[in-house]
C-alpha cells in the first residue's frame, strides 16, 4: 500500500518536472479551405514554441479533393526538428526551413515540431494541398533524407551559395523513370540589405510561398550546369529567399511548390556575424581608399606623378591578389598585406617608368586599362546569368580582355581627356567602395565577382543576379555624381595647361625641358603645336619656356 503510494508519487514528480521543462502543445488544423489554382495554401499561421518543447499538429475535415499535402515550418536563424509519428532519422528533417510530404489517406499523419534550442521561437507553419495531377516535390529524391524530400538544401561559403532540391515526381511516373516530365524552376528574392530581423524574414518567406506571390516577387535563377542545383554569387549581409517550383512539362497548371529556404550568406548569430571587414588591416585600407579615391577623382591629373603611383599600385594590388589566391591558400589579412607590398612596388616601378620615359600614351594606357577592366567587370555584373557560351573560362576571359582592350584603345585616341575621365570614374569608384562596405550596399561586388570568377574554382557555374535595392541606387547616383563633377572640375582645373606634364628626368633626348605648372598664356593650340617628336627637333630659337 505504502510502496504503491510512493510509486505513484514518484511518477507524479517525474511528470511534473518534465512539464516544467517542456510544455508540449497540440493544435488541430482543419484542411477544408478552398484554394485556387495559383495559391494552394490551406493554412498559414504563426505559432510560438517554447524552448525544448514539442508542438503536435493533427488534422480534421480533410477535403476530398486533396491528394497530398506539404507541411512546412519556418524558423528564423534557429534549427528545429520536424517528424511524423515515429521519430527516426529517416522520417525527421532538421533545419530552419523544413517540410514533409504526406499523402492524404484515410488517416493523415500527425506531425511533431520539436524546438531543441534554449530559446523560445516564433515559427510560421504553412500547409499546401495539391491534387492528384500535381507533381510531388522531391518525389524522386535520391540524395537526402527522408525518402520524399520537398525541402530545399542550402549551403554557402564566402564566395557562393549552393541551392539544391530533389527531383520532382510526375503524378503518372511512379518509378521515377522520366524525371524530365517535370520542369523545376528556381526563384530568388532578396530581402532588404542588412536587415536581419525576423519580421522582414517572415514577410519574405510568405512572399515566396504561393505561385502568385512567387511569380510576382521572384526572379528566375537561370540553369547552368546542373538540373537540380543552382550556384549563386554570395552577397553576405543581404538576405535571399530561394524557392523551386515543379511544373508538369505538358500541363503547366499542374505544379507544386517546394519549401522555400533562405540565407544571409553569413551568420548573424556568430560573434563577428555579418561584419564584412573584421580585420584591422582591411578596415584601415578601406578608410584610406576613401581619401585616395577623392584625391584621384578631383586632383588626379593635376598631380600626375601621384596619380601614376596610385594607379600603378592599385593595378599591382589587384593582379597580385589574384595571382596569390590562385596559387596558395592564405587568409585575407595575409593576402592583402602581400598584395599591398607588391602593389607599392608596382606603383613605384610605374612611377619610375614615367619619370624616365614619360610617353603620355603609354602612361595613360594603364589608367585606361583599369577603366576597361572596371567596364568589363560592370558588364559581367549586369549580365544575365546562364549564358552557356560564357561558362567556358576561355570564352569568358577572351571576351573580357577584348572588352577591356577595346575600351582602352578607344579612350587612348584622346589621351588628355581620357586620363581625366579615368581619374574621375576610377577615383569616384574608389570613393564609393569603402562607403559601400559601411552601408552594406553591393556595388563592391562589381570587382569582387570578377576576382571570384578568376580565383574561385567552379565559379563559372555561378549566376550573379546582384541585388539592386535603394541603397545601391543611392550609391550608383553618388558614383555618377562624383565622376561627373570630378571630370568637369579637372577639366576646368587643367584648362590652359599642357595636357601632360613633362617627366622629371627624361632619358628621351627630344623631350623639351619645360617646367610643369608655370603660368602663362598658353592655350591648347600653342601646346599642341609644340614640337613633340624627334623629327621636329629644337634649335636655339626655340623658347625654353613655351
Ligand atoms: C513533450 O515532448 C517531449 C519530446 O517529444 C517528450 O519527451 C515529453 O515527454 C513531452 N512532455 C509531455 C509533458 O508530454
Ligand atoms: C512559454 O513560455 C512563456 C514564458 O516562458 C509562458 O508564459 C508560456 O505559457 C509558455 N507557453 C506554453 C505554450 O507553454
Ligand atoms: C470546414 O469544416 C468545418 C467543420 O466541419 C466547418 O465549420 C467550416 O465551415 C468548413 N470550412 C470550409 C471553408 O468549408
Ligand atoms: C543548423 O544546422 C546546420 C546544419 O544542419 C548548422 O550548420 C547550423 O550551424 C545550425 N544552426 C544553428 C543556429 O544551430
Ligand atoms: C513518416 O514519414 C516517413 C518518411 O516520409 C514515411 O515513410 C512513414 O510512412 C511515415 N510514418 C507514418 C507513421 O506515417
Ligand atoms: C500574395 O499574393 C496575393 C495575391 O496576389 C496577395 O493578396 C497576398 O497579400 C500576397 N501575400 C503576401 C504575403 O504578400
Ligand atoms: C492540368 O492540371 C490541372 C491542375 O492539376 C488539372 O486540373 C487538369 O485536369 C490538368 N489537365 C490535363 C489535360 O491533364
Ligand atoms: C601662343 O603663345 C604666344 C606667346 O607665348 C601668344 O602670344 C599667342 O597668343 C598664343 N597663341 C594662341 C593661339 O594661344
Amino acid at each position: 500500500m505504502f510502496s504503491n503510494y510512493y510509486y505513484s508519487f514518484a511518477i507524479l514528480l517525474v511528470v511534473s518536472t518534465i512539464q516544467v521543462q517542456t510544455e508540449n502543445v497540440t493544435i488541430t488544423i482543419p484542411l477544408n479551405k478552398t484554394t485556387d489554382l495559383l495559391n494552394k495554401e490551406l493554412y498559414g499561421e504563426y505559432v510560438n514554441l517554447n524552448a525544448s518543447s514539442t508542438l503536435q499538429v493533427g488534422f480534421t475535415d480533410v477535403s476530398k479533393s486533396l491528394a497530398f499535402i506539404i507541411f512546412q515550418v519556418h524558423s528564423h536563424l534557429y534549427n528545429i526538428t520536424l517528424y511524423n509519428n515515429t521519430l527516426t532519422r529517416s522520417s525527421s528533417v532538421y533545419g530552419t526551413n523544413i517540410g514533409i510530404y504526406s499523402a492524404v489517406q484515410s488517416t493523415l499523419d500527425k506531425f511533431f515540431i520539436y524546438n531543441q534550442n534554449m530559446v523560445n521561437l516564433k515559427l510560421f507553419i504553412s500547409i499546401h494541398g495539391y491534387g492528384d495531377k500535381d507533381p510531388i516535390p522531391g518525389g524522386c529524391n535520391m540524395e537526402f533524407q527522408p525518402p520524399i524530400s520537398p525541402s530545399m538544401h542550402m549551403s554557402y561559403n564566402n564566395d557562393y551559395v549552393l541551392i539544391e532540391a530533389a527531383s520532382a515526381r510526375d503524378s503518372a511516373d511512379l518509378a521515377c523513370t522520366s524525371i524530365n516530365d517535370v520542369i523545376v524552376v528556381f526563384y530568388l528574392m532578396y530581402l532588404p540589405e542588412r536587415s536581419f530581423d525576423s519580421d522582414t524574414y517572415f514577410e519574405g518567406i510568405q512572399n515566396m510561398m504561393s505561385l502568385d506571390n512567387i511569380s510576382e516577387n521572384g526572379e528566375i535563377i537561370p540553369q547552368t550546369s546542373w538540373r537540380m542545383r543552382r550556384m549563386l554569387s554570395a552577397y553576405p549581409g543581404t538576405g535571399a529567399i530561394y524557392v523551386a517550383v515543379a511544373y508538369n512539362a505538358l500541363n503547366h497548371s499542374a505544379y507544386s511548390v517546394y519549401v522555400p529556404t533562405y540565407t544571409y550568406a553569413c551568420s548573424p548569430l556568430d560573434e563577428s556575424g555579418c561584419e564584412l571587414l573584421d580585420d584591422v588591416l582591411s578596415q584601415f585600407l578601406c578608410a584610406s581608399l576613401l581619401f585616395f579615391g577623392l584625391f584621384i577623382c578631383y586632383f588626379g591629373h593635376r598631380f600626375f606623378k601621384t596619380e601614376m603611383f596610385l594607379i600603378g599600385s592599385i593595378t599591382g594590388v589587384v593582379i597580385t591578389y589574384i595571382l596569390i589566391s590562385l596559387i596558395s591558400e592564405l587568409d585575407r589579412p595575409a593576402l592583402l598585406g602581400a598584395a599591398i607590398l607588391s602593389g607599392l612596388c608596382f606603383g613605384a616601378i610605374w612611377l619610375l617608368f614615367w619619370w624616365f620615359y614619360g610617353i603620355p600614351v603609354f602612361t595613360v594606357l594603364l589608367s585606361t586599362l583599369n577603366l576597361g577592366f572596371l567596364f568589363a567587370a560592370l558588364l559581367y555584373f549586369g549580365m544575365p546569368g546562364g549564358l552557356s557560351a560564357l561558362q567556358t573560362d576561355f570564352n569568358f576571359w577572351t571576351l573580357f580582355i577584348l572588352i577591356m582592350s577595346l575600351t582602352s584603345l578607344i579612350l587612348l585616341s584622346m589621351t588628355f581627356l581620357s586620363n581625366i575621365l579615368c581619374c574621375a570614374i576610377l577615383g569616384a569608384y574608389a570613393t564609393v567602395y569603402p562607403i559601400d562596405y559601411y552601408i552594406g550596399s553591393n556595388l563592391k561586388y562589381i570587382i569582387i565577382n570578377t576576382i571570384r570568377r578568376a580565383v574561385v574554382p567552379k565559379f563559372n557555374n555561378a549566376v550573379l543576379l546582384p541585388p539592386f535595392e535603394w541603397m545601391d541606387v543611392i550609391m550608383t547616383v553618388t558614383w555618377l555624381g562624383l565622376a561627373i563633377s570630378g571630370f568637369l572640375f579637372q577639366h576646368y582645373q587643367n584648362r590652359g595647361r599642357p595636357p601632360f606634364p613633362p617627366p622629371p628626368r627624361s632619358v628621351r633626348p627630344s623631350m623639351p625641358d619645360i617646367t610643369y605648372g608655370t603660368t602663362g598664356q598658353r592655350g591648347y593650340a600653342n601646346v599642341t603645336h609644340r614640337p613633340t617628336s624627334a623629327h621636329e627637333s629644337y634649335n636655339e630659337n626655340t623658347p625654353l619656356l613655351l
Side-chain angles (χ1 to χ4, degrees):
M1 191 66 180
F2 176 76
S3 68
N4 206 353
Y5 172 78
Y6 186 73
Y7 187 57
S8 29
F9 177 76
I11 286 185
L12 250 177
L13 196 72
V14 168
V15 167
S16 59
T17 46
I18 288 175
Q19 268 171 344
V20 167
Q21 293 169 346
T22 69
E23 303 180 69
N24 300 345
V25 218
T26 306
I27 56 173
T28 306
I29 297 172
L31 292 183
N32 59 351
K33 193 179 159 211
T34 45
T35 56
D36 55 32
L37 186 61
L38 291 176
N39 185 353
K40 305 214 175 181
E41 186 173 79
L42 297 167
Y43 176 87
E45 294 290 338
Y46 293 103
V47 292
N48 289 308
L49 187 56
N50 283 1
S52 32
S53 7
T54 304
L55 173 69
Q56 176 187 330
V57 183
F59 304 99
T60 60
D61 303 317
V62 180
S63 156
K64 292 273 176 295
S65 60
L66 291 181
F68 65 92
I69 61 167
I70 301 294
F71 182 92
Q72 42 183 286
V73 188
H74 299 276
S75 124
H76 186 226
L77 303 177
Y78 292 95
N79 292 324
I80 45 171
T81 309
L82 173 63
Y83 56 97
N84 62 11
N85 311 2
T86 45
L87 174 54
T88 59
R89 208 179 104 70
S90 65
S91 73
S92 71
V93 266
Y94 173 79
T96 51
N97 306 84
I98 47 185
I100 295 195
Y101 157 93
S102 175
V104 173
Q105 303 136 347
S106 48
T107 55
L108 212 60
D109 285 358
K110 280 194 176 66
F111 292 118
F112 298 86
I113 306 165
Y114 177 43
N115 173 11
Q116 70 274 47
N117 302 287
M118 285 307 155
V119 285
N120 298 352
L121 291 183
K122 178 184 174 188
L123 305 175
F124 185 73
I125 296 183
S126 177
I127 300 167
H128 289 241
Y130 297 95
D132 51 7
K133 291 274 191 301
D134 296 325
I136 296 171
C140 289
N141 169 33
M142 281 173 287
E143 8 186 353
F144 309 114
Q145 291 289 350
I148 295 183
S149 174
S151 313
M152 308 197 32
H153 299 257
M154 184 279 306
S155 57
Y156 68 86
N157 61 22
N158 283 336
D159 299 307
Y160 56 81
V161 178
L162 272 183
I163 306 295
E164 285 174 273
S167 298
R169 178 161 73 74
D170 189 49
S171 51
D173 176 26
L174 292 179
C176 288
T177 45
S178 49
I179 48 175
N180 289 328
D181 286 355
V182 184
I183 303 166
V184 179
V185 183
F186 285 70
Y187 293 86
L188 153 81
M189 184 188 86
Y190 284 109
L191 297 176
E193 284 153 354
R194 303 230 139 221
S195 100
F196 303 112
D197 65 299
S198 68
D199 291 344
T200 316
Y201 160 77
F202 281 118
E203 196 185 319
I205 286 283
Q206 287 177 57
N207 279 329
M208 288 293 271
M209 211 160 260
S210 59
L211 190 60
D212 49 357
N213 301 63
I214 291 174
S215 40
E216 187 182 314
N217 303 313
E219 291 179 76
I220 293 182
I221 310 174
Q223 180 175 349
T224 49
S225 296
W226 309 283
R227 214 177 78 85
M228 295 305 297
R229 182 190 284 177
R230 297 291 181 272
M231 187 184 195
L232 291 125
S233 191
Y235 303 101
T238 304
I241 313 261
Y242 309 93
V243 72
V245 180
Y247 297 94
N248 185 314
L250 303 174
N251 177 5
H252 269 242
S253 41
Y255 75 90
S256 57
V257 182
Y258 284 75
V259 179
T261 186
Y262 85 106
T263 183
Y264 294 114
C266 57
S267 169
L269 287 181
D270 283 357
E271 192 98 352
S272 64
C274 288
E275 205 55 62
L276 294 179
L277 295 178
D278 42 5
D279 55 294
V280 181
L281 179 62
S282 316
Q283 282 165 351
F284 172 74
L285 278 179
C286 222
S288 43
L289 201 57
L290 183 77
F291 296 104
F292 290 138
L294 277 178
F295 178 77
I296 293 271
C297 179
Y298 287 105
F299 301 101
H301 191 77
R302 178 78 176 76
F303 298 90
F304 195 69
K305 291 192 277 286
T306 319
E307 182 208 332
M308 284 297 105
F309 178 69
L310 287 179
I311 295 266
S313 307
I314 287 197
T315 316
V317 167
V318 172
I319 292 177
T320 325
Y321 191 94
I322 292 182
L323 287 185
I324 300 184
S325 357
L326 277 180
I327 49 183
S328 77
E329 300 260 323
L330 284 181
D331 58 341
R332 193 176 57 194
L335 198 55
L336 266 182
I340 297 288
L341 274 185
S342 122
L344 289 182
C345 294
F346 199 91
I349 292 173
W350 194 249
L351 180 62
L352 283 183
F353 184 74
W354 161 252
W355 198 285
F356 288 116
Y357 289 93
I359 314 163
V361 169
F362 219 74
T363 28
V364 173
L365 182 67
L366 192 64
S367 322
T368 59
L369 277 178
N370 273 297
L371 190 60
F373 177 83
L374 186 61
F375 182 62
L378 188 62
L379 286 186
Y380 173 49
F381 189 66
M383 184 184 81
L387 303 177
S388 51
L390 292 184
Q391 249 166 272
T392 325
D393 278 338
F394 178 77
N395 294 354
F396 176 84
W397 289 113
T398 312
L399 187 69
F400 190 91
I401 291 175
L402 192 73
I403 292 176
M404 188 170 147
S405 340
L406 270 184
T407 316
S408 165
L409 272 185
I410 292 172
L411 287 177
L412 271 187
S413 57
M414 30 176 197
T415 21
F416 167 68
L417 282 185
S418 69
N419 191 46
I420 294 189
L421 191 70
C422 291
C423 285
I425 297 182
L426 292 173
Y429 185 67
T431 313
V432 166
Y433 196 90
I435 305 178
D436 196 85
Y437 267 107
Y438 291 117
I439 70 171
S441 54
N442 288 307
L443 290 191
K444 53 186 167 297
Y445 291 101
I446 296 176
I447 297 292
I448 295 180
N449 276 334
T450 305
I451 296 186
R452 282 175 180 168
R453 177 70 203 244
V455 168
V456 179
K458 296 216 177 81
F459 200 75
N460 57 331
N461 296 309
V463 172
L464 300 190
L465 283 181
F468 198 72
E469 299 173 6
W470 65 272
M471 284 287 206
D472 303 295
V473 175
I474 291 180
M475 291 319 285
T476 313
V477 170
T478 313
W479 182 12
L480 279 180
L482 279 173
I484 292 174
S485 64
F487 181 78
L488 294 179
F489 179 77
Q490 292 209 42
H491 200 284
Y492 173 80
Q493 189 189 33
N494 290 290
R495 79 199 182 301
R497 292 175 178 282
F500 287 96
R505 281 268 179 282
S506 177
V507 293
R508 290 198 307 158
S510 65
M511 280 308 290
D513 189 17
I514 51 173
T515 315
Y516 180 57
T518 39
T519 49
Q521 303 301 314
R522 285 178 292 144
Y524 292 133
N526 258 350
V527 171
T528 45
H529 287 132
R530 182 163 49 99
T532 48
S533 72
H535 306 293
E536 310 172 49
S537 54
Y538 293 84
N539 56 34
E540 57 268 23
N541 294 330
T542 314
L544 280 175
L545 292 179
L546 280 170

